[in-house]
């Protein structure tokens, strides 16, 4: 009789809503392409939906804390090791947007966005890296098209995602035992899109795109990019998937989009 395969252990930040919560569900339940996993979720809040999942699944552990702190990241790591003794992947989804023009952007507000969107990722990686090396794990970072855009009032967000992409490429280059992915999730129907539609800081001609997509029902459901992110956290390696130019994405940290043809096997 063959032994039961060991469930992989995936750590998720920002798993309380939107893309993160959808990814947690896929990881717990499994899909045709994602085997069911053990999950540790780190988020500032623990809404009713996440609490219900924890009651339903003993394979979900919840850590409530601040993703920008060493303490909370260490608690996430330690919870995984205490319960299951290993860490196979990170899905780093926590993120914020703060609309402010460059002329008014204070150091305090810039640093807050950078801390949540970029520095927290480096800290999550730092505290878990010894364990990820043991399992040839995967690090999946939620990036954004903003990394290569210039939307007015998005300076802090644009900069944080561009820095994330640079960090992903560097991590992939330095750490030959793990896979690293930086993924654009598209324009998704989440709370962040509500903030984008509501801000008065964006020029109307730039904001119109997002208002129109919402009005016309063109926003992506969180489940579509979440499935790709979750699948990469579980199945992505330094050899697979391969980009359209033949470059292994996980070995280079190459910025890619959730709907790229090279990721078709990971899509719903």
């Amino acid at each position: 009789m063959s032994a039961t395969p060991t469930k992989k252990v995936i750590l998720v930040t920002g798993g309380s809503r939107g893309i993160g919560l959808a990814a947690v569900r896929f990881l717990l339940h499994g899909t045709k392409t994602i085997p069911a996993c053990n999950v540790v979720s780190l988020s500032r809040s623990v809404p009713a939906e996440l609490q219900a999942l924890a009651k339903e699944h003993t394979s979900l552990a919840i850590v409530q804390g601040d993703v920008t702190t060493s303490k909370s990241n260490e608690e996430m790591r330690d919870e995984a090791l205490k319960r299951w003794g290993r860490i196979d992947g990170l899905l780093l989804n926590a993120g914020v947007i703060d609309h402010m023009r460059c002329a008014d952007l204070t150091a305090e507000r810039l640093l807050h966005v950078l801390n949540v969107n970029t520095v927290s990722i480096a800290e999550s990686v730092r505290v878990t890296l010894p364990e990820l090396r043991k399992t040839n794990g995967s690090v999946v970072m939620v990036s954004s098209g903003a990394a290569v855009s210039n939307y007015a009032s998005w300076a802090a967000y644009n900069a944080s995602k561009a820095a994330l992409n640079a960090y992903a490429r560097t991590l992939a280059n330095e750490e030959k035992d793990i896979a690293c992915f930086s993924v654009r999730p598209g324009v998704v129907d989440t709370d962040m899109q509500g903030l984008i539609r509501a801000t008065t800081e964006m020029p109307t001609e730039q904001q119109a795109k997002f208002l129109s997509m919402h009005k016309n029902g063109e926003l992506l459901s969180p489940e579509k990019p979440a499935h790709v992110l979750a699948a990469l956290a579980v199945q992505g390696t330094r050899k697979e998937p391969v980009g359209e130019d033949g470059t292994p994405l996980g070995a280079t940290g190459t910025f890619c989009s959730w709907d790229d043809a090279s990721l078709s096997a990971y899509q719903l």
Side-chain angles (χ1 to χ4, degrees):
M1 181 181 294
S2 60
T4 302
T6 301
K7 273 188 175 183
K8 288 194 172 183
V9 179
I10 309 299
L11 279 50
V12 181
T13 66
S16 62
R17 58 177 60 84
I19 293 172
L21 182 60
V24 168
R25 287 198 187 99
F26 285 134
L27 291 166
L28 290 173
H29 297 148
T31 71
K32 290 181 180 179
T33 54
I34 303 174
C37 298
N38 295 314
V39 180
V40 181
S41 172
L42 168 61
S43 59
R44 185 180 291 276
S45 62
V46 184
E49 288 177 276
L50 190 58
Q51 292 179 38
L53 282 174
K55 290 180 180 178
E56 180 184 352
H57 297 275
T58 57
S59 51
L60 172 61
I62 296 175
V63 175
Q64 186 171 12
D66 181 352
V67 73
T68 68
T69 67
S70 298
K71 180 176 181 291
S72 292
N73 278 287
E74 289 165 358
E75 288 175 356
M76 173 176 66
R77 175 201 62 198
D78 293 347
E79 187 67 21
L81 296 178
K82 180 180 73 174
R83 291 199 182 207
W84 301 297
R86 59 187 291 145
I87 297 172
D88 297 277
L90 306 181
L91 200 172
L92 304 175
N93 170 70
V96 296
I97 193 168
D98 185 8
H99 293 279
M100 182 169 277
R101 299 288 188 107
C102 292
D104 303 311
L105 183 59
T106 63
E108 181 181 13
R109 289 176 69 169
L110 174 59
L111 286 170
H112 174 64
V113 175
L114 289 171
N115 277 336
V116 176
N117 294 0
T118 314
V119 177
S120 75
I121 283 177
E123 188 61 8
S124 295
V125 170
R126 184 187 70 80
V127 303
T128 58
L129 194 51
E131 300 302 323
L132 290 167
R133 289 172 181 149
K134 295 175 186 177
T135 59
N136 297 119
S138 176
V139 177
V140 182
M141 308 178 194
V142 179
S143 187
S144 169
V148 292
S149 81
N150 64 346
Y151 285 119
S153 80
W154 289 34
Y157 189 74
N158 294 345
S160 72
K161 294 301 184 179
L164 180 155
N165 286 358
Y167 176 81
R169 295 191 301 270
T170 306
L171 180 65
N173 180 44
E174 291 179 355
E175 295 293 333
K176 307 302 185 184
D177 293 326
I178 68 170
C180 184
F181 303 93
S182 176
V183 185
R184 169 189 172 272
V187 185
V188 187
D189 190 8
T190 61
D191 292 347
M192 186 176 290
Q193 279 298 311
L195 295 174
I196 292 170
R197 294 192 300 272
T199 185
T200 58
E201 294 289 328
M202 284 187 75
T204 55
E205 65 273 14
Q206 292 184 16
Q207 192 176 37
K209 165 190 171 180
F210 301 98
L211 293 169
S212 175
M213 292 183 74
H214 179 255
K215 179 180 179 181
N216 296 327
E218 296 172 349
L219 297 177
L220 291 169
S221 70
E223 286 73 20
K224 289 185 175 181
H227 191 275
V228 173
L229 297 164
L232 286 171
V234 179
Q235 308 278 43
T237 70
R238 285 187 71 86
K239 294 182 178 180
E240 297 288 343
V242 176
E244 294 179 14
D245 63 354
T247 301
L249 299 179
T252 57
T254 301
F255 180 44
C256 58
S257 182
W258 78 275
D259 57 351
D260 285 349
S262 58
L263 296 178
S264 60
Y266 300 80
Q267 295 160 12
L268 276 174

